Amino acid sequence: MGKLYLVPTPIGNLEDMTFRAIRVLKEVDLILAEDTRTSGKLLKHFEIATRMHSHHMHNEHKTVENLVKRMQAGETIALISDAGTPAISDPGFLLTRACVENGVEVECLPGATAFVPALVNSGLPNDKFVFEGFLPDKKGRQTRFLALAEETRTMIFYVSPHKLNKTLAEYVQYFGADRPVSVSRELSKLHEETVRGTADEVLKHFEAKPAKGEIVVCVGGKSLK
């Protein structure tokens, strides 16, 4: 019986790659990569010669069954995404579930993921939180906001830069202008920045200075006072 490894990769700074992740990627029979071009640069940097196959949201439904059979036959396979931990707003869940259902061992290595540093440095309560990832673009978006308006835990969102101002305006609309918000962008990279304030203050900041790069937003939960 083979095994599936879920291997986190750096979200920006290559120094965040772990020694263990490098060893596993060198030892497995196959690496499944979200984008082989992006991952190819990472593997070359760390002198990892293991062969790669493409595994992304458009083909994962078709390839899962065959991959499970290969691991049942003895192959060891590692899954990586373009950045961060697989299955966190990236492909990985379907293959992991199929392995669990078919008795294939799954091991997730600890490592880089964007929402943890964003939450910890936000200054918002982090003893309890809810990860929302990317909100629906259209259908179900308003319904989700109405439900989250009553959420008392800190909420974490992934937001694309061109939708940030729209999303911040929706925070003002559904959560209130005074709701605390922390926007972290380009985490671990050269131009890393965290902007904290009320929803209204943070919106005005990014209206004046449009955001670029990868973005994680933390929003304080509804106060019970």
Side-chain angles (χ1 to χ4, degrees), residues 22 45 47 60 82 84 91 125 151 218:
I22 295 170
H45 179 83
E47 300 180 344
E60 59 179 337
D82 288 347
E151 177 61 65
C218 297

PDB file of all heavy atoms in Angstrom, residues 22 45 47 60 82 84 91 125 151 218:
ATOM      1  N   ILE A  22      10.997  19.164   1.685  1.00  0.00           N
ATOM      2  CA  ILE A  22      11.967  18.908   0.615  1.00  0.00           C
ATOM      3  C   ILE A  22      12.293  17.421   0.539  1.00  0.00           C
ATOM      4  O   ILE A  22      12.315  16.830  -0.555  1.00  0.00           O
ATOM      5  CB  ILE A  22      13.242  19.738   0.841  1.00  0.00           C
ATOM      6  CG1 ILE A  22      12.935  21.238   0.737  1.00  0.00           C
ATOM      7  CG2 ILE A  22      14.329  19.345  -0.156  1.00  0.00           C
ATOM      8  CD1 ILE A  22      14.067  22.139   1.168  1.00  0.00           C
ATOM      9  N   HIS A  45      14.475  25.080  -7.719  1.00  0.00           N
ATOM     10  CA  HIS A  45      15.204  25.825  -6.700  1.00  0.00           C
ATOM     11  C   HIS A  45      15.755  24.893  -5.625  1.00  0.00           C
ATOM     12  O   HIS A  45      16.878  25.088  -5.134  1.00  0.00           O
ATOM     13  CB  HIS A  45      14.287  26.867  -6.067  1.00  0.00           C
ATOM     14  CG  HIS A  45      14.933  27.688  -4.985  1.00  0.00           C
ATOM     15  ND1 HIS A  45      15.708  28.805  -5.254  1.00  0.00           N
ATOM     16  CD2 HIS A  45      14.938  27.543  -3.633  1.00  0.00           C
ATOM     17  CE1 HIS A  45      16.153  29.308  -4.125  1.00  0.00           C
ATOM     18  NE2 HIS A  45      15.698  28.568  -3.123  1.00  0.00           N
ATOM     19  N   GLU A  47      16.276  21.640  -6.034  1.00  0.00           N
ATOM     20  CA  GLU A  47      16.929  20.502  -6.689  1.00  0.00           C
ATOM     21  C   GLU A  47      16.145  19.211  -6.480  1.00  0.00           C
ATOM     22  O   GLU A  47      16.694  18.164  -6.119  1.00  0.00           O
ATOM     23  CB  GLU A  47      18.376  20.363  -6.184  1.00  0.00           C
ATOM     24  CG  GLU A  47      19.222  21.593  -6.471  1.00  0.00           C
ATOM     25  CD  GLU A  47      20.658  21.450  -5.965  1.00  0.00           C
ATOM     26  OE1 GLU A  47      20.915  20.552  -5.146  1.00  0.00           O
ATOM     27  OE2 GLU A  47      21.503  22.244  -6.394  1.00  0.00           O
ATOM     28  N   GLU A  60      -9.478  17.203 -11.398  1.00  0.00           N
ATOM     29  CA  GLU A  60      -9.358  16.328 -10.227  1.00  0.00           C
ATOM     30  C   GLU A  60     -10.491  15.301 -10.136  1.00  0.00           C
ATOM     31  O   GLU A  60     -10.282  14.179  -9.657  1.00  0.00           O
ATOM     32  CB  GLU A  60      -9.253  17.136  -8.930  1.00  0.00           C
ATOM     33  CG  GLU A  60     -10.413  18.062  -8.647  1.00  0.00           C
ATOM     34  CD  GLU A  60     -10.237  18.810  -7.323  1.00  0.00           C
ATOM     35  OE1 GLU A  60      -9.492  18.337  -6.456  1.00  0.00           O
ATOM     36  OE2 GLU A  60     -10.867  19.875  -7.172  1.00  0.00           O
ATOM     37  N   ASP A  82      -0.162  25.683  -5.640  1.00  0.00           N
ATOM     38  CA  ASP A  82       0.746  26.744  -6.082  1.00  0.00           C
ATOM     39  C   ASP A  82       1.427  27.423  -4.908  1.00  0.00           C
ATOM     40  O   ASP A  82       2.567  27.876  -5.014  1.00  0.00           O
ATOM     41  CB  ASP A  82      -0.022  27.785  -6.907  1.00  0.00           C
ATOM     42  CG  ASP A  82      -0.420  27.257  -8.277  1.00  0.00           C
ATOM     43  OD1 ASP A  82       0.114  26.196  -8.677  1.00  0.00           O
ATOM     44  OD2 ASP A  82      -1.243  27.900  -8.942  1.00  0.00           O
ATOM     45  N   GLY A  84       1.067  27.522  -0.261  1.00  0.00           N
ATOM     46  CA  GLY A  84       0.330  27.200   0.949  1.00  0.00           C
ATOM     47  C   GLY A  84       0.018  25.722   1.083  1.00  0.00           C
ATOM     48  O   GLY A  84       0.636  24.866   0.453  1.00  0.00           O
ATOM     49  N   PRO A  91      -7.166  22.666  -4.598  1.00  0.00           N
ATOM     50  CA  PRO A  91      -7.468  21.238  -4.751  1.00  0.00           C
ATOM     51  C   PRO A  91      -6.825  20.405  -3.643  1.00  0.00           C
ATOM     52  O   PRO A  91      -5.760  20.747  -3.136  1.00  0.00           O
ATOM     53  CB  PRO A  91      -6.856  20.900  -6.118  1.00  0.00           C
ATOM     54  CG  PRO A  91      -6.836  22.194  -6.848  1.00  0.00           C
ATOM     55  CD  PRO A  91      -6.559  23.238  -5.811  1.00  0.00           C
ATOM     56  N   PRO A 125      -9.455  38.732  18.278  1.00  0.00           N
ATOM     57  CA  PRO A 125      -9.493  37.495  19.065  1.00  0.00           C
ATOM     58  C   PRO A 125      -9.263  36.269  18.186  1.00  0.00           C
ATOM     59  O   PRO A 125      -9.867  36.144  17.111  1.00  0.00           O
ATOM     60  CB  PRO A 125     -10.918  37.491  19.642  1.00  0.00           C
ATOM     61  CG  PRO A 125     -11.308  38.927  19.685  1.00  0.00           C
ATOM     62  CD  PRO A 125     -10.663  39.558  18.487  1.00  0.00           C
ATOM     63  N   GLU A 151     -22.419  36.275  13.282  1.00  0.00           N
ATOM     64  CA  GLU A 151     -21.278  35.482  13.746  1.00  0.00           C
ATOM     65  C   GLU A 151     -20.490  36.235  14.816  1.00  0.00           C
ATOM     66  O   GLU A 151     -20.138  37.401  14.636  1.00  0.00           O
ATOM     67  CB  GLU A 151     -20.363  35.148  12.556  1.00  0.00           C
ATOM     68  CG  GLU A 151     -19.105  34.395  12.915  1.00  0.00           C
ATOM     69  CD  GLU A 151     -19.397  33.054  13.559  1.00  0.00           C
ATOM     70  OE1 GLU A 151     -19.972  32.194  12.868  1.00  0.00           O
ATOM     71  OE2 GLU A 151     -19.049  32.888  14.746  1.00  0.00           O
ATOM     72  N   CYS A 218      -9.289  39.643   7.947  1.00  0.00           N
ATOM     73  CA  CYS A 218      -9.870  39.173   9.203  1.00  0.00           C
ATOM     74  C   CYS A 218     -10.857  40.216   9.693  1.00  0.00           C
ATOM     75  O   CYS A 218     -10.543  41.411   9.700  1.00  0.00           O
ATOM     76  CB  CYS A 218      -8.784  38.936  10.253  1.00  0.00           C
ATOM     77  SG  CYS A 218      -7.604  37.653   9.824  1.00  0.00           S
TER      78      CYS A 218
END
